[in-house]
Short mmCIF file of all heavy atoms in Angstrom, two decimals:
data_model
loop_
_atom_site.label_atom_id
_atom_site.label_comp_id
_atom_site.label_asym_id
_atom_site.label_seq_id
_atom_site.Cartn_x
_atom_site.Cartn_y
_atom_site.Cartn_z
N LEU A 1 -16.12 12.46 1.04
CA LEU A 1 -16.54 11.22 0.56
C LEU A 1 -15.87 10.82 -0.70
O LEU A 1 -15.41 9.69 -0.96
CB LEU A 1 -18.06 11.10 0.48
CG LEU A 1 -18.86 11.19 1.74
CD1 LEU A 1 -20.31 10.96 1.40
CD2 LEU A 1 -18.46 10.17 2.78
N TYR A 2 -15.87 11.81 -1.67
CA TYR A 2 -15.21 11.59 -2.95
C TYR A 2 -13.81 11.27 -2.83
O TYR A 2 -13.23 10.37 -3.52
CB TYR A 2 -15.47 12.86 -3.78
CG TYR A 2 -14.74 12.82 -5.08
CD1 TYR A 2 -15.32 12.24 -6.21
CD2 TYR A 2 -13.43 13.37 -5.26
CE1 TYR A 2 -14.64 12.20 -7.46
CE2 TYR A 2 -12.77 13.33 -6.44
CZ TYR A 2 -13.45 12.77 -7.59
OH TYR A 2 -12.76 12.81 -8.79
N LEU A 3 -13.02 12.06 -2.08
CA LEU A 3 -11.63 11.86 -1.87
C LEU A 3 -11.35 10.40 -1.27
O LEU A 3 -10.42 9.78 -1.74
CB LEU A 3 -11.04 12.95 -0.84
CG LEU A 3 -9.52 12.89 -0.70
CD1 LEU A 3 -8.77 13.40 -1.87
CD2 LEU A 3 -9.21 13.76 0.52
N ASN A 4 -12.06 10.00 -0.27
CA ASN A 4 -11.94 8.71 0.29
C ASN A 4 -12.05 7.59 -0.81
O ASN A 4 -11.43 6.63 -0.78
CB ASN A 4 -12.92 8.51 1.41
CG ASN A 4 -12.75 7.12 2.11
OD1 ASN A 4 -11.63 6.74 2.58
ND2 ASN A 4 -13.75 6.36 2.16
N ALA A 5 -13.01 7.83 -1.78
CA ALA A 5 -13.38 6.83 -2.73
C ALA A 5 -12.46 6.82 -3.97
O ALA A 5 -12.09 5.76 -4.45
CB ALA A 5 -14.84 7.08 -3.14
N PHE A 6 -12.08 8.05 -4.45
CA PHE A 6 -11.47 8.12 -5.75
C PHE A 6 -10.07 8.84 -5.76
O PHE A 6 -9.56 9.23 -6.81
CB PHE A 6 -12.31 8.93 -6.71
CG PHE A 6 -13.65 8.27 -7.12
CD1 PHE A 6 -14.78 8.56 -6.47
CD2 PHE A 6 -13.59 7.25 -8.09
CE1 PHE A 6 -16.04 7.94 -6.83
CE2 PHE A 6 -14.85 6.64 -8.46
CZ PHE A 6 -15.99 6.93 -7.87
N ASP A 7 -9.41 8.95 -4.56
CA ASP A 7 -8.14 9.66 -4.54
C ASP A 7 -7.14 8.95 -5.37
O ASP A 7 -7.14 7.76 -5.61
CB ASP A 7 -7.70 9.66 -3.12
CG ASP A 7 -6.40 10.54 -2.91
OD1 ASP A 7 -6.28 11.60 -3.62
OD2 ASP A 7 -5.59 10.33 -2.05
N ASP A 8 -6.27 9.80 -5.98
CA ASP A 8 -5.19 9.26 -6.82
C ASP A 8 -4.03 8.75 -5.94
O ASP A 8 -4.18 8.67 -4.70
CB ASP A 8 -4.66 10.35 -7.84
CG ASP A 8 -4.13 11.63 -7.13
OD1 ASP A 8 -3.60 11.51 -6.01
OD2 ASP A 8 -4.35 12.71 -7.70
N THR A 9 -2.84 8.45 -6.52
CA THR A 9 -1.82 7.83 -5.84
C THR A 9 -0.67 8.81 -5.53
O THR A 9 0.46 8.47 -5.16
CB THR A 9 -1.25 6.64 -6.50
OG1 THR A 9 -0.67 7.06 -7.78
CG2 THR A 9 -2.30 5.57 -6.76
N SER A 10 -0.97 10.14 -5.62
CA SER A 10 0.15 11.09 -5.52
C SER A 10 0.68 11.34 -4.07
O SER A 10 1.78 11.81 -3.92
CB SER A 10 -0.31 12.44 -6.14
OG SER A 10 -1.38 13.00 -5.44
N SER A 11 -0.09 10.92 -3.10
CA SER A 11 0.28 11.07 -1.75
C SER A 11 1.42 10.11 -1.33
O SER A 11 1.33 8.97 -1.80
CB SER A 11 -0.95 10.91 -0.82
OG SER A 11 -0.53 10.92 0.56
N LYS A 12 2.35 10.56 -0.56
CA LYS A 12 3.42 9.68 -0.18
C LYS A 12 3.22 9.10 1.21
O LYS A 12 2.45 9.68 2.04
CB LYS A 12 4.76 10.49 -0.04
CG LYS A 12 5.16 11.11 -1.43
CD LYS A 12 5.46 9.96 -2.43
CE LYS A 12 5.77 10.57 -3.83
NZ LYS A 12 5.38 9.81 -4.90
N SER A 13 3.74 7.94 1.54
CA SER A 13 3.65 7.43 2.85
C SER A 13 4.51 8.23 3.82
O SER A 13 5.43 8.96 3.38
CB SER A 13 4.14 5.94 2.88
OG SER A 13 5.35 5.85 2.19
N SER A 14 4.23 8.21 5.11
CA SER A 14 4.94 8.95 6.07
C SER A 14 6.32 8.41 6.28
O SER A 14 6.63 7.21 6.01
CB SER A 14 4.20 8.94 7.41
OG SER A 14 4.20 7.65 7.98
N PRO A 15 7.27 9.27 6.77
CA PRO A 15 8.66 8.72 7.08
C PRO A 15 8.66 7.66 8.00
O PRO A 15 9.41 6.66 7.86
CB PRO A 15 9.31 9.99 7.64
CG PRO A 15 8.60 11.17 7.19
CD PRO A 15 7.12 10.72 7.03
N GLU A 16 7.73 7.62 8.99
CA GLU A 16 7.63 6.54 9.97
C GLU A 16 7.27 5.22 9.33
O GLU A 16 7.89 4.14 9.63
CB GLU A 16 6.58 6.86 11.06
CG GLU A 16 6.92 8.04 11.98
CD GLU A 16 6.41 9.36 11.36
OE1 GLU A 16 6.13 9.42 10.11
OE2 GLU A 16 6.35 10.38 12.19
N TYR A 17 6.36 5.31 8.33
CA TYR A 17 5.97 4.09 7.69
C TYR A 17 7.12 3.56 6.81
O TYR A 17 7.30 2.36 6.81
CB TYR A 17 4.74 4.40 6.72
CG TYR A 17 4.32 3.22 5.99
CD1 TYR A 17 3.35 2.35 6.44
CD2 TYR A 17 4.73 2.94 4.70
CE1 TYR A 17 2.92 1.25 5.74
CE2 TYR A 17 4.34 1.86 3.95
CZ TYR A 17 3.44 1.01 4.55
OH TYR A 17 2.95 -0.16 3.78
N ARG A 18 7.81 4.50 6.16
CA ARG A 18 8.91 3.98 5.29
C ARG A 18 10.07 3.35 6.13
O ARG A 18 10.73 2.45 5.67
CB ARG A 18 9.46 5.19 4.54
CG ARG A 18 8.46 5.70 3.42
CD ARG A 18 9.17 6.44 2.36
NE ARG A 18 9.62 7.74 2.84
CZ ARG A 18 8.96 8.89 2.81
NH1 ARG A 18 7.67 8.82 2.47
NH2 ARG A 18 9.46 10.01 3.22
N LYS A 19 10.23 3.85 7.32
CA LYS A 19 11.24 3.30 8.16
C LYS A 19 10.88 1.86 8.59
O LYS A 19 11.66 0.93 8.58
CB LYS A 19 11.41 4.10 9.43
CG LYS A 19 12.52 5.07 9.43
CD LYS A 19 12.70 5.82 10.82
CE LYS A 19 12.83 7.30 10.53
NZ LYS A 19 12.50 8.12 11.70
N LYS A 20 9.64 1.65 8.96
CA LYS A 20 9.13 0.41 9.35
C LYS A 20 8.87 -0.67 8.27
O LYS A 20 9.04 -1.87 8.50
CB LYS A 20 7.83 0.57 10.20
CG LYS A 20 8.02 1.05 11.59
CD LYS A 20 6.80 1.02 12.43
CE LYS A 20 5.73 2.02 11.91
NZ LYS A 20 4.63 2.23 12.89
N SER A 21 8.58 -0.21 7.12
CA SER A 21 8.06 -1.02 6.05
C SER A 21 9.21 -1.51 5.18
O SER A 21 10.14 -0.81 4.84
CB SER A 21 7.09 -0.24 5.20
OG SER A 21 6.74 -1.02 4.07
N LYS A 22 9.02 -2.78 4.73
CA LYS A 22 10.01 -3.35 3.77
C LYS A 22 9.55 -2.95 2.35
O LYS A 22 10.32 -3.19 1.33
CB LYS A 22 10.11 -4.76 3.89
CG LYS A 22 10.62 -5.27 5.25
CD LYS A 22 10.73 -6.79 5.25
CE LYS A 22 11.25 -7.34 6.62
NZ LYS A 22 10.27 -7.30 7.61
N ASP A 23 8.34 -2.39 2.24
CA ASP A 23 7.80 -2.08 1.00
C ASP A 23 8.51 -0.83 0.39
O ASP A 23 8.44 0.25 0.91
CB ASP A 23 6.28 -1.82 1.16
CG ASP A 23 5.57 -1.42 -0.15
OD1 ASP A 23 6.27 -1.51 -1.21
OD2 ASP A 23 4.37 -1.07 -0.08
N GLU A 24 9.21 -1.04 -0.68
CA GLU A 24 9.98 0.13 -1.27
C GLU A 24 9.01 1.06 -1.96
O GLU A 24 9.34 2.16 -2.19
CB GLU A 24 11.03 -0.45 -2.24
CG GLU A 24 12.12 -1.24 -1.62
CD GLU A 24 12.85 -0.41 -0.49
OE1 GLU A 24 13.18 0.78 -0.90
OE2 GLU A 24 13.01 -0.91 0.60
N LYS A 25 7.80 0.55 -2.40
CA LYS A 25 6.97 1.46 -3.12
C LYS A 25 6.37 2.65 -2.24
O LYS A 25 5.82 2.32 -1.18
CB LYS A 25 5.69 0.63 -3.66
CG LYS A 25 6.08 -0.20 -4.83
CD LYS A 25 4.86 -0.76 -5.48
CE LYS A 25 3.97 -1.65 -4.63
NZ LYS A 25 2.88 -2.21 -5.22
N ASN A 26 6.70 3.78 -2.61
CA ASN A 26 6.35 4.93 -1.89
C ASN A 26 4.89 5.33 -2.00
O ASN A 26 4.23 5.75 -1.08
CB ASN A 26 7.24 6.10 -2.24
CG ASN A 26 7.36 7.15 -1.13
OD1 ASN A 26 6.71 6.97 -0.12
ND2 ASN A 26 8.12 8.10 -1.37
N SER A 27 4.31 5.16 -3.13
CA SER A 27 3.00 5.60 -3.42
C SER A 27 1.95 4.63 -2.88
O SER A 27 2.23 3.42 -2.78
CB SER A 27 2.73 5.77 -5.00
OG SER A 27 3.41 6.90 -5.40
N ILE A 28 0.76 5.15 -2.60
CA ILE A 28 -0.32 4.36 -2.05
C ILE A 28 -1.18 3.82 -3.27
O ILE A 28 -0.98 4.29 -4.38
CB ILE A 28 -1.16 5.22 -1.10
CG1 ILE A 28 -1.66 6.47 -1.72
CG2 ILE A 28 -0.43 5.47 0.23
CD1 ILE A 28 -2.49 7.35 -0.82
#
């Protein structure tokens, strides 16, 4: 529950998302 609520932005988007997305920002 804590992770879902307060997670930081260190996780990267998946390669599949980066291929499809025009969003250059990698961090969430």
Side-chain angles (χ1 to χ4, degrees):
L1 291 187
Y2 172 88
L3 182 71
N4 181 55
F6 291 101
D7 189 32
D8 58 34
T9 62
S10 60
S11 173
K12 300 297 178 209
S13 47
S14 68
E16 293 89 341
Y17 179 87
R18 291 201 290 275
K19 263 185 223 158
K20 282 188 290 192
S21 171
K22 298 184 181 71
D23 183 3
E24 292 301 312
K25 285 192 299 187
N26 204 357
S27 288
I28 54 180

